[in-house]
Amino acid sequence: MRQGYVTGPVLGALWMIVLSVTVAVAMSFATGEAFRPSILLSLGWGAIAGVAMVALGRTRIVQVAVLIAIAAVVMLGIGPMLTGENTSAFARLFGAVALGAGFAISQAVILNEVVPGKLTRHEFEGAVIRFLTGFGYIFFTAIVLIPFYVMVMTSLKNQSELIQNPLDFSIDLSKGAALFRSYDELFTQFNFGTYLFNSFFISVLTVFITLAFAIPGAYAVARLRFRGQAAFSRSILLIYMVPMIVLALPIYIAFSMTGLRNSFWGIVMIYPVTTIPVALYMLQGYFRGLPAEIEEAGLMDGLSRLAVIWKITLPLSLPALASVSLYVFMIAWNEFLLAFMLLDDPSKFTLTRGIASLNSSEIPRQHLMAGSVIATVPIMALFLGLEKFMTKGLTAGSVKG
Amino acid sequence: MADAHPPSGTGPLAKREARLAWGLLTPTITAVALVVVLPLLAIFWISIKPINLADLRAPEVVLREDLRGNPEAAGDAATIRYRLRNSSQEQPIGAVSFTDVIPDGLTVETLDDRCSLDGRNLSCALGDWAPGTRDTLTIPVTIGQAYFDNGLRPQDSPAVTDGASSNALTNSTFTLDNFARVFSGDEFFEVLWVTLFYTVFGTIGALLVGLFAALLLNKSFRGQGILRGLYLFPYVAPVIAVAFAWLILFDPFSGSANALILQMGVSQEAINFFGERPLALIMVTIFEIWRYFPLSFLFILARMQSIDTDMYESADMDGASPFQQFWYLSVPQLLGILSVLFLLRFIWTFNKFDDIFLLTGGNAGTRTLTVNVYEQAFAVSNIGAGAAVAVVIFGCLLTFSIFFLKYISQEEGL
């Protein structure tokens, strides 16, 4: 295996498969036209190109030659990627050049240290790792983006377009504002404005109530000495482990009997309790990390404990509070099970419950996807804007699904 | 000189601190007790009761009253009519009675022998009622002028009914049928097997994929932050949104995935990804991996970035190859966080409900224990059986947790 003339073609062949599948899927999704990778031809051409790049080196000239060769065989219809008969010439050329260029550039990087003859272990493994890295980037980006891409694009199309060619995600920009018809209908006919407001209001209330309960609790667990402290901090984690569906059943019964089902306040009462253990767990970890000396100085100077929490601990833990708030907001915003079980009245739906109500055969599915986009965009925007807090918050305490 | 020794016992300061601690914790403890501990106890209670969704509404006496006879002037005769029925067709109500106030201006002529009149207050005792009983009571009255003057009609003062109905939740009938039902037949073992498959492969898969992603991003380059944010998307997006996106992507008739597969010639006919055994189970497991790899990725990455780079430099000097460095240096360092993640994720995947519920609704061989709770309680309307499944889940979790606490206390971090 550790021979330049073996490593080169094997990695070349495999890399060609990865790239031709990628380009074919990308072109299909972008144009809706028929592109498909050919595994056998990919193996063959990839191996040949790999050998060439090992034997001739990876100079600019070789790269350009490989690019042109691959693009040419694709255009001739015997390349690693095949196209249907009706594919437009421009799309074919674009795909061919993209595949050729992608391969020529990235394969040169992968085979960087691979020379004809015997390879050292470092050189060989380096090449394999670069291959895997490239594969990983493509793989992860694809699996993450494709569902979201499908979500957004579906929401912009109409039923007949979707059924005609499910692969065609190209958008007719000339339609202008009519593209957003599903969104318009959701807001005007399906009350999504109210749902959006409900979700937002409930999530914000949940954050405040959670913090009001969790801050004192976390402080007590982290700082104060009392009997049962260890047992308590451990049982937080245990409560965290009780599945919601087990609790949802009695909660449903209790809410049905007390008339809290179908009410805004019922939801506002129940959401914080599901988030308090998480928040408490995250915050106590942070409080423990704060230097106790500052607080002790405050105590010496005559502040009461509560004043110490308010004037010293809280200002110091603002970043943690931001993380926790974001995380709690995310949980409340995304919560589905309780909203689904406890809310039946369309005027009180949260966004997730509203989307669930769109899942019927009578409502076109671009509405369903538009609803999903409406629910996803705010949380994504918040997340990307405050990514640092979010990642910190997630690592600090979120083991919860 | 007396022996000097440190003070023992709890001093006043320590006591005050403990009091404050409990004071700060009380709200949380109360809330958690109300919403976690109480429902848990309720689940055990319900699991040994024969109770259906319909039984949640206790039977009650429904009463309507009106004045018959269309009186026009003082001295006319009329009757007050009470129509009563038992709202339940299945359960009896004992000692049914009602009280009402007869408006001014109406003079009662004859009184039904089940009723008694005290001033204007009428009270009637109707005895025990079988399920579905209906009864009508009429009281002839003479109209006085006052009736027209004050305009108060009999139905303006609502009658108060009373009856002893046994609430299905609180009565003392117990049964083990729920558990017998849950454990009987092959169904239970299928559910158990599906749960295990989903949990084990979902957890391990998410860990491995997360490890791979963390290895990719464990170096600094331009765009690393963006990619890291991007790879967290599946976890951050609302589950309902991504689940429906998957359903539409893999739709057997008009899904893009199927169109792609047909076009590439992988398969000759469309594949029903979420509707066939055993493919549906594999798909929901893949969805689970897809949705939760970001979490393991984040934790593993955080741990990786805290590993000392000196170690890798010296290994490099000694001639260790990249794979050897990974296997002999990184893996042992990551073992702690990997096992913690495995345990936690295992429990959480075991608890997962929304994902499968949204993707397949538990059909096509994807019914896990948690989905079974919903299925029994709401689809079959047998709340008792649902609770019994919940008890089984809780038992499993308790076992995991004991193991987990024993193990985790020696582990780092969490």
Side-chain angles (χ1 to χ4, degrees):
Chain A
M1 223 10 228
R2 296 218 302 266
Q3 285 287 337
Y5 282 122
V6 181
T7 310
V10 168
L11 289 184
L14 292 176
W15 187 239
M16 184 61 95
I17 293 181
V18 172
L19 280 191
S20 62
V21 170
T22 311
V23 175
V25 171
M27 289 303 289
S28 300
F29 272 153
T31 63
E33 294 182 48
F35 287 87
R36 66 188 182 88
S38 156
I39 302 298
L40 279 180
L41 286 170
S42 295
L43 282 173
W45 289 116
I48 294 172
V51 169
M53 283 177 129
V54 171
L56 305 172
R58 287 153 298 272
T59 54
R60 227 357 82 78
I61 299 164
V62 177
Q63 285 188 34
V64 172
V66 168
L67 190 170
I68 292 172
I70 292 174
V73 291
V74 170
M75 289 308 282
L76 287 175
I78 50 166
M81 182 175 70
L82 305 177
T83 50
E85 283 143 26
N86 305 325
T87 317
S88 70
F90 174 73
R92 270 174 78 174
L93 186 66
F94 187 85
V97 173
L99 180 61
F103 185 85
I105 294 168
S106 54
Q107 187 65 12
V109 177
I110 290 176
L111 295 180
N112 194 11
E113 291 160 345
V114 178
V115 289
K118 198 157 170 38
L119 298 175
T120 68
R121 207 172 163 148
H122 261 94
E123 289 163 348
F124 169 69
E125 289 182 6
V128 172
I129 284 177
R130 282 189 296 274
F131 167 77
L132 288 177
T133 309
F135 170 72
Y137 286 136
I138 292 179
F139 173 75
F140 281 109
T141 310
I143 61 165
V144 169
L145 281 187
I146 287 177
F148 291 101
Y149 178 77
V150 169
M151 193 197 288
V152 174
M153 290 307 172
T154 308
S155 74
L156 299 177
K157 315 214 73 161
N158 66 39
Q159 193 81 358
S160 59
E161 286 171 344
L162 285 170
I163 293 195
Q164 215 171 32
N165 184 357
L167 271 181
D168 188 1
F169 284 111
S170 58
I171 290 185
D172 188 3
L173 284 178
S174 61
K175 283 203 288 188
L179 280 177
F180 296 97
R181 234 186 73 201
S182 333
Y183 294 89
D184 184 48
E185 280 172 15
L186 281 187
F187 278 107
T188 51
Q189 294 165 26
F190 289 89
N191 258 335
F192 261 62
T194 320
Y195 302 166
L196 199 61
F197 175 78
N198 284 353
S199 262
F200 183 76
F201 189 63
I202 288 178
S203 304
V204 169
L205 267 181
T206 304
V207 169
F208 281 112
I209 298 175
T210 305
L211 286 184
F213 279 84
I215 290 173
Y219 187 84
V221 174
R223 270 283 187 275
L224 304 177
R225 278 166 307 231
F226 60 98
R227 268 196 10 208
Q229 185 194 22
F232 195 86
S233 69
R234 198 167 269 190
S235 58
I236 301 171
L237 208 61
L238 277 190
I239 284 174
Y240 205 15
M241 306 263 141
V242 179
M244 206 55 231
I245 182 78
V246 169
L247 302 181
L249 199 59
I251 288 174
Y252 175 86
I253 295 173
F255 273 33
S256 299
M257 293 200 305
T258 52
L260 278 170
R261 202 151 74 80
N262 251 330
S263 87
F264 212 75
W265 299 111
I267 290 283
V268 173
M269 272 167 58
I270 209 79
Y271 275 14
V273 184
T274 65
T275 52
I276 286 172
V278 200
L280 216 157
Y281 183 73
M282 287 163 83
L283 280 176
Q284 59 125 9
Y286 191 85
F287 287 161
R288 266 184 229 275
L290 290 176
E293 289 78 9
I294 308 177
E295 290 173 21
E296 278 156 16
L299 284 175
M300 293 299 281
D301 287 346
L303 287 177
S304 72
R305 267 291 176 183
L306 294 178
V308 165
I309 297 178
W310 184 249
K311 290 193 172 140
I312 298 177
T313 313
L314 283 189
L316 280 177
S317 38
L318 276 182
L321 291 182
S323 306
V324 173
S325 306
L326 258 178
Y327 188 57
V328 168
F329 186 89
M330 186 188 97
I331 294 181
W333 182 271
N334 291 351
E335 208 288 330
F336 163 71
L337 172 62
L338 286 172
F340 182 73
M341 285 177 87
L342 300 179
L343 296 177
D344 296 323
D345 177 358
S347 67
K348 291 177 181 132
F349 279 0
T350 60
L351 260 183
T352 47
R353 181 68 184 87
I355 296 171
S357 73
L358 291 180
N359 183 26
S360 94
S361 52
E362 287 147 35
I363 296 173
R365 55 186 210 175
Q366 67 269 25
H367 281 58
L368 184 63
M369 287 295 94
S372 302
V373 172
I374 293 173
T376 310
V377 164
I379 195 77
M380 291 286 186
L382 204 62
F383 169 74
L384 283 182
L386 301 164
E387 196 241 337
K388 235 187 221 141
F389 287 125
M390 196 79 163
T391 25
K392 205 177 276 162
L394 285 170
T395 31
S398 83
V399 260
K400 176 163 183 163
Chain B
M1 206 176 102
D3 285 340
H5 52 79
S8 60
T10 37
L13 263 177
K15 271 187 190 147
R16 210 169 72 187
E17 193 168 310
R19 264 207 308 278
L20 178 68
W22 285 111
L24 291 176
L25 280 170
T26 312
T28 307
I29 294 175
T30 322
V32 168
L34 272 177
V35 182
V36 178
V37 181
L38 214 60
L40 276 182
L41 296 178
I43 274 285
F44 279 95
W45 176 259
I46 298 167
S47 71
I48 48 170
K49 312 272 312 166
I51 173 168
N52 286 320
L53 206 51
D55 298 334
L56 286 183
R57 185 172 291 169
E60 51 188 25
V61 181
V62 181
L63 181 147
R64 288 209 183 81
E65 70 175 301
D66 53 3
L67 189 75
R68 316 262 298 166
N70 209 9
E72 279 158 1
D76 282 1
T79 47
I80 302 177
R81 185 175 67 161
Y82 294 97
R83 282 175 299 172
L84 303 104
R85 67 182 172 85
N86 181 348
S87 69
S88 166
Q89 296 294 327
E90 276 124 32
Q91 294 184 50
I93 307 180
V96 177
S97 66
F98 72 91
T99 55
D100 195 14
V101 179
I102 302 210
D104 281 337
L106 295 183
T107 319
V108 174
E109 296 292 309
T110 51
L111 204 57
D112 194 297
D113 53 5
R114 290 172 290 181
C115 300
S116 62
L117 194 63
D118 174 21
R120 304 223 70 85
N121 295 326
L122 175 79
S123 56
C124 301
L126 304 175
D128 296 343
W129 272 7
T133 304
R134 287 166 181 280
D135 205 345
T136 310
L137 224 116
T138 50
I139 300 176
V141 290
T142 318
I143 312 286
Q145 188 56 41
Y147 178 77
F148 296 105
D149 293 345
N150 62 19
L152 212 59
R153 301 290 170 266
Q155 51 270 40
D156 291 340
S157 62
V160 180
T161 61
D162 191 22
S165 60
S166 94
N167 188 316
L169 271 176
T170 48
N171 65 16
S172 57
T173 25
F174 297 102
T175 173
L176 284 174
D177 280 359
N178 296 324
F179 285 99
R181 210 185 150 113
V182 168
F183 287 114
S184 75
D186 303 333
E187 200 194 69
F188 180 73
F189 291 100
E190 200 205 317
V191 168
L192 209 59
W193 148 248
V194 168
T195 312
L196 273 181
F197 179 94
Y198 179 70
T199 312
V200 170
F201 286 98
T203 311
I204 294 179
L207 270 187
L208 291 183
V209 176
L211 179 64
F212 185 27
L215 284 171
L216 282 183
L217 289 189
N218 187 27
K219 50 186 127 182
S220 38
F221 55 89
R222 229 158 30 117
Q224 194 242 18
I226 295 173
L227 277 185
R228 195 178 53 186
L230 185 72
Y231 290 179
L232 292 176
F233 270 20
Y235 178 70
V236 179
V239 58
I240 187 163
V242 289
F244 283 138
W246 271 60
L247 279 182
I248 282 182
L249 180 62
F250 289 102
D251 190 278
F253 305 110
S254 53
S256 317
N258 264 313
L260 210 58
I261 281 173
L262 288 180
Q263 184 180 306
M264 297 196 172
V266 179
S267 158
Q268 290 312 308
E269 53 196 76
I271 302 170
N272 190 355
F273 283 101
F274 286 105
E276 273 169 26
R277 288 161 195 261
L279 194 58
L281 181 57
I282 296 173
M283 284 303 290
V284 291
T285 312
I286 292 178
F287 180 82
E288 162 79 18
I289 295 173
W290 178 81
R291 193 162 141 69
Y292 293 102
F293 88 84
L295 256 184
S296 359
F297 149 70
L298 212 56
F299 280 89
I300 296 171
L301 186 63
R303 183 72 187 86
M304 272 180 177
Q305 286 173 342
S306 69
I307 299 179
D308 215 346
T309 47
D310 294 357
M311 216 161 50
Y312 290 100
E313 278 165 25
S314 53
D316 230 16
M317 296 294 283
D318 290 346
S321 74
F323 280 123
Q324 284 173 325
Q325 287 178 22
F326 171 72
W327 189 248
Y328 292 109
L329 292 181
S330 305
V331 169
Q333 295 275 327
L334 294 176
L335 222 49
I337 187 76
L338 284 177
S339 52
V340 169
L341 269 177
F342 177 80
L343 283 171
L344 289 174
R345 289 302 317 160
F346 187 87
I347 291 177
W348 269 102
T349 315
F350 183 85
N351 287 349
K352 207 70 222 151
F353 167 78
D354 319 25
D355 305 38
I356 293 187
F357 178 70
L358 286 169
L359 287 173
T360 64
N363 296 319
T366 58
R367 191 187 295 181
T368 57
L369 276 170
T370 45
V371 178
N372 208 18
V373 175
Y374 186 88
E375 195 76 9
Q376 298 284 355
F378 293 98
V380 189
S381 305
N382 190 338
I383 293 217
V389 182
V391 168
V392 173
I393 293 181
F394 190 70
C396 295
L397 275 175
L398 218 56
T399 325
F400 295 152
S401 304
I402 291 167
F403 175 72
F404 173 79
L405 276 187
K406 258 194 144 141
Y407 188 77
I408 200 112
S409 43
Q410 310 151 8
E411 286 299 342
E412 60 186 296
L414 297 153

